[in-house]
Amino acid sequence: MRIIIVGCGRMGAGLALTLTQRGHDVTVIDRDPTAFAVLGERFSGRIITGHGFDREVLRHAGITRADGLAAVTSSDETNVVTARAARQFFHVPRVVARLYDPRKAEIYRRLGVLTISTTEWGVHRITELLSYSWFEPIVSLGSSVDIVDVETSPALVGRSLASLTVPGEVHPVAVSRGGRCFLPTPETRLQAGDLVHIAVLATSTGRLKALLGV
């Protein structure tokens, strides 16, 4: 995929290096030419000095052929203007803007701009890590969905995964058993030693807790 990253701070640089290592064609834009030093010799993509919201800079970066754009500068305003230009003017299929202010994030979500609020995500994530002592969260998908690992207790042995499902709120997605992981069906019954991987809404942890008998 051809990806444009606007902003070469810690997040932008980390994103650029990760995407490059995965084989994507990455172009990084930053108004400060010294910012690119953080990319180091491992980065094999392109770098362009300029403002990410400048349409000519975006054209030079190849936005008319881009599959995705991430606006991750330190300015909410810059990120939103860049994201909206990429989405509405250049019709880039996938556009994400990083926003610090959660209130702005909600506004721009309503306008069709995908946003990541690092402040909001951090608050939810720390809350989850402090609160979820009865299972282990392994991945957070945004600020509202977690993938958690649940060890099969004696009370769960023999129960079907259908009994641990709440449509739209709690969904077992995989089971690790005997050294291998597989995708279960609702009829799959738990065995001693199983590790169940469950997707759960942050607002539905109480439901999951009740289903587990915690």
Side-chain angles (χ1 to χ4, degrees):
M1 293 178 65
R2 293 180 290 271
I3 307 294
I4 296 174
I5 298 172
V6 179
C8 195
R10 283 175 292 182
M11 177 176 282
L15 186 58
L17 291 170
T18 299
L19 290 169
T20 300
Q21 290 168 2
R22 294 185 180 183
H24 298 291
D25 181 357
V26 179
T27 299
V28 182
I29 301 171
D30 199 286
R31 64 180 181 178
D32 180 4
T34 65
F36 302 120
V38 71
L39 293 171
E41 297 180 355
R42 293 180 296 163
F43 181 64
S44 59
R46 298 172 62 208
I47 57 175
I48 295 176
T49 302
H51 292 279
F53 54 78
D54 187 315
R55 292 183 182 180
E56 290 307 313
V57 171
L58 290 172
R59 286 192 179 94
H60 182 51
I63 196 167
T64 57
R65 299 179 293 109
D67 300 298
L69 178 143
V72 291
T73 75
S74 59
S75 167
D76 282 2
E77 289 70 24
T78 296
N79 292 341
V80 168
V81 170
T82 303
R84 296 200 71 185
R87 186 67 175 151
Q88 297 181 4
F89 187 80
F90 293 105
H91 307 293
V92 177
R94 178 69 70 177
V95 178
V96 181
R98 174 195 190 184
L99 298 180
Y100 291 90
D101 189 338
R103 294 170 298 179
K104 294 178 183 176
E106 181 58 30
I107 292 171
Y108 290 112
R109 284 192 196 106
R110 294 173 184 173
L111 295 175
V113 177
L114 292 175
T115 63
I116 297 295
S117 173
T118 50
T119 301
E120 182 182 31
W121 183 89
V123 169
H124 280 285
R125 185 60 175 154
I126 292 171
T127 300
E128 291 156 4
L129 290 174
L130 291 174
S131 303
Y132 294 179
S133 59
W134 40 277
F135 58 63
E136 181 65 25
I138 57 170
V139 177
S140 285
L141 307 177
S143 61
S144 58
V145 177
D146 279 338
I147 303 295
V148 301
D149 282 353
V150 176
E151 294 184 7
T152 301
S153 65
L156 292 176
V157 172
R159 286 180 57 180
S160 70
L161 291 186
S163 70
L164 298 180
T165 301
V166 179
E169 298 182 51
V170 180
H171 289 273
V173 293
V175 174
S176 293
R177 176 183 295 168
R180 71 183 188 92
C181 187
F182 64 93
L183 298 179
T185 68
E187 292 74 31
T188 298
R189 295 193 175 275
L190 294 173
Q191 299 179 9
D194 283 353
L195 186 65
V196 189
H197 312 285
I198 301 176
V200 56
L201 288 179
T203 55
S204 298
T205 55
R207 298 289 299 274
L208 176 57
K209 197 172 182 180
L211 292 173
L212 296 174
V214 177

